[in-house]
Amino acid sequence: MRDFMDFVQNAFCEQSHWNPNNFYGTLTATAKALLDFDTPKGLRLSASSLSSRNFATSYSLSNAGIVDGSLSFLYSSLPLQAESRSSAINLQDVIEGYRHLQDLRKPDEPWWWEVWHGGKRVDRKAALLYGRLYLPRSTLEALYLRRISPTRQLRISYVSDSSLPQGGNVLALLQTDAGRYSTEYLYSTDSALFGVRGLYNFGAFPSSDSSSKPATYTSETASTVTSSGLADGSLPYEVRSPHGRFSAGAELYYGALNASGGLSTGIRFSTLPAHTGFPYTMTLTLNPLMGNLSSTYAVKAGGDVALCSRFDFNVYSYESELQIGCEIWRLKRAPPAKILQGLRTGKDANEPDVLERSTLPKRRRPGEDVTGVLKARVDQNWNVGVLWEGRIKELLFSIGAGFDLRKREQIFRAVGLEIQYSS
């Protein structure tokens, strides 16, 4: 489950129209969410609050052999409109699972961000500041995030720890997202590392004038729509939406201090919302220097079930590894009285009635009736991981365990429970 501060950072990106899924670093995000999820170790409690639309705090206490904790603070110059209460938060916003790629959108025009007053520009670039102090280790994490333009973002992270070389590390990342393609330039003080990443999306892309077309119906156009389109025979929106997207990317990095470098490349194909069948995602990545080849396949086999598999192979040592995993979402069911009423009226029992629709503050998004998710994975060595994440009243919880089925005398590898509360 995502940390509360990670949830707030994702809300900042969403509200500032930044797409974190359109980069090479997230090429295999779906497979990692289904196969590389972390199981809690020991007991961890956290309490968080979005005290205002610009300021958030979080406190955590854990016991995994030793008692430790952390204090976190976050400031956003952009007022955040996210729902922060753990009793009402959308679970799909805090639980990482199968990622549905959306249609590419044309980046905002630079002049959309301009605010003028008295003949002078008074707008400011959106920024985010985040800090976290771990106790009693006295380790400090800091993050500075700034939107430079509609297509560019600067991210600077810092870690201070006495166990690290030179007492800490600074990582600077300059990201550019033009929709059709994205680039990342990074520098790290650790080994004086320089790197560059790139991703290119093939297929249809919104035209320059697509932003001026209405995306939804209005009361005027809805009254003139017929079964074949508008009254004049034209369609109210673009119907030739792509059913899938093919992406290709690569990364190259070089460490000046140790005179070593690295290279990797990868491709991905994923279905889009216009696809009428089961959503699926396929990836293939290659590290030619190390000889590692990895392929993944994930499919949304139903509204609440996702399956994933990954096969790794090394062309130099001929070693291979296979992993399979799944996630099953548990949905909130309607009470029996409402089911009987739905059968009598011929209406879905989980759908609000007409009177309730008029009082809803917003349209319900998929996942708002989700109560939990069960994740499981197993590899060829019979290492099993199980995780259950969900909500009980006003608390979010994660409980999981790791098993080694080959060692029957010590089958449990780790067991843990994590509880979060936010207001």
Side-chain angles (χ1 to χ4, degrees), residues 213-217 225 230 234-241:
K213 297 180 181 180
T216 58
Y217 289 109
V225 174
L230 296 177
S234 62
L235 291 175
Y237 53 89
E238 186 66 32
V239 296
R240 294 185 178 180
S241 300

Side-chain angles (χ1 to χ4, degrees), residues 31-32 35-36 294-296 308-312 321-323:
K32 291 180 179 179
L35 298 176
D36 297 335
S294 178
S295 62
T296 68
C308 182
S309 63
R310 178 171 59 196
F311 178 75
D312 299 328
E321 183 178 357
L322 175 65
Q323 276 187 313

Side-chain angles (χ1 to χ4, degrees), residues 134-154:
Y134 294 88
L135 298 173
R137 295 178 297 170
S138 298
T139 300
L140 176 65
E141 291 181 354
L143 172 66
Y144 175 71
L145 194 64
R146 185 177 181 86
R147 292 299 310 275
I148 301 177
S149 68
T151 60
R152 189 162 296 174
Q153 176 176 271
L154 176 64

Side-chain angles (χ1 to χ4, degrees), residues 132-414:
R132 185 170 188 175
L133 177 62
Y134 294 88
L135 298 173
R137 295 178 297 170
S138 298
T139 300
L140 176 65
E141 291 181 354
L143 172 66
Y144 175 71
L145 194 64
R146 185 177 181 86
R147 292 299 310 275
I148 301 177
S149 68
T151 60
R152 189 162 296 174
Q153 176 176 271
L154 176 64
R155 184 186 184 96
I156 301 177
S157 57
Y158 171 73
V159 178
S160 175
D161 194 336
S162 58
S163 62
L164 295 176
Q166 301 179 357
N169 182 30
V170 178
L171 174 63
L173 183 64
L174 180 62
Q175 299 175 303
T176 301
D177 181 11
R180 167 72 73 178
Y181 66 91
S182 65
T183 59
E184 296 177 279
Y185 301 93
L186 62 91
Y187 171 76
S188 175
T189 57
D190 185 18
S191 303
L193 181 69
F194 296 88
V196 58
R197 296 173 178 172
L199 181 71
Y200 187 85
N201 299 305
F202 298 87
F205 184 73
S207 59
S208 58
D209 60 342
S210 61
S211 59
S212 61
K213 297 180 181 180
T216 58
Y217 289 109
T218 62
S219 59
E220 291 79 7
T221 58
S223 61
T224 59
V225 174
T226 62
S227 59
S228 59
L230 296 177
D232 58 357
S234 62
L235 291 175
Y237 53 89
E238 186 66 32
V239 296
R240 294 185 178 180
S241 300
H243 288 207
R245 182 188 308 152
F246 179 78
S247 306
E251 68 174 347
L252 175 66
Y253 55 90
Y254 177 78
L257 295 183
N258 51 19
S260 63
L263 170 68
S264 70
T265 182
I267 57 176
R268 177 187 64 192
F269 179 83
S270 181
T271 57
L272 295 176
H275 181 67
T276 57
F278 291 119
Y280 62 91
T281 300
M282 300 182 294
T283 65
L284 178 65
T285 56
L286 172 65
N287 188 329
L289 299 181
M290 304 300 296
N292 291 329
L293 181 68
S294 178
S295 62
T296 68
Y297 177 76
V299 59
K300 192 76 171 179
D304 52 1
V305 178
L307 307 173
C308 182
S309 63
R310 178 171 59 196
F311 178 75
D312 299 328
F313 180 74
N314 190 282
V315 297
Y316 299 145
S317 63
Y318 298 103
E319 295 181 351
S320 61
E321 183 178 357
L322 175 65
Q323 276 187 313
I324 58 176
C326 68
E327 66 174 10
I328 303 175
W329 292 83
R330 184 173 183 269
L331 305 180
K332 182 186 299 182
R333 302 301 180 185
K338 195 171 183 180
I339 295 178
L340 293 177
Q341 181 183 1
L343 293 176
R344 294 171 182 173
T345 59
K347 186 178 62 175
D348 187 359
N350 291 312
E351 183 181 359
D353 54 30
V354 178
L355 295 178
E356 290 176 343
R357 290 181 195 173
S358 61
T359 59
L360 288 176
K362 61 179 181 178
R363 183 179 179 183
R364 298 197 311 171
R365 295 189 300 164
E368 290 188 350
D369 286 336
V370 171
T371 60
V373 58
L374 174 65
K375 294 184 178 182
R377 66 166 181 260
V378 61
D379 60 15
Q380 62 183 15
N381 297 320
W382 293 105
N383 294 318
V384 181
V386 180
L387 179 66
W388 172 254
E389 298 176 308
R391 172 168 45 214
I392 298 180
K393 295 186 181 299
E394 296 185 356
L395 299 178
L396 302 178
F397 70 90
S398 298
I399 180 171
F403 307 92
D404 189 351
L405 299 183
R406 297 181 305 173
K407 299 180 180 179
R408 296 186 178 182
E409 67 280 0
Q410 191 178 0
I411 189 173
F412 287 96
R413 300 180 59 185

Side-chain angles (χ1 to χ4, degrees), residues 42-82:
L43 176 64
R44 184 174 184 268
L45 307 175
S46 64
S48 311
S49 174
L50 188 62
S51 55
S52 67
R53 294 302 179 183
N54 302 89
F55 191 74
T57 57
S58 180
Y59 310 92
S60 66
L61 182 66
S62 61
N63 182 11
I66 59 174
V67 178
D68 58 2
S70 64
L71 308 174
S72 305
F73 302 91
L74 183 145
Y75 168 78
S76 171
S77 64
L78 184 66
L80 302 177
Q81 306 297 329

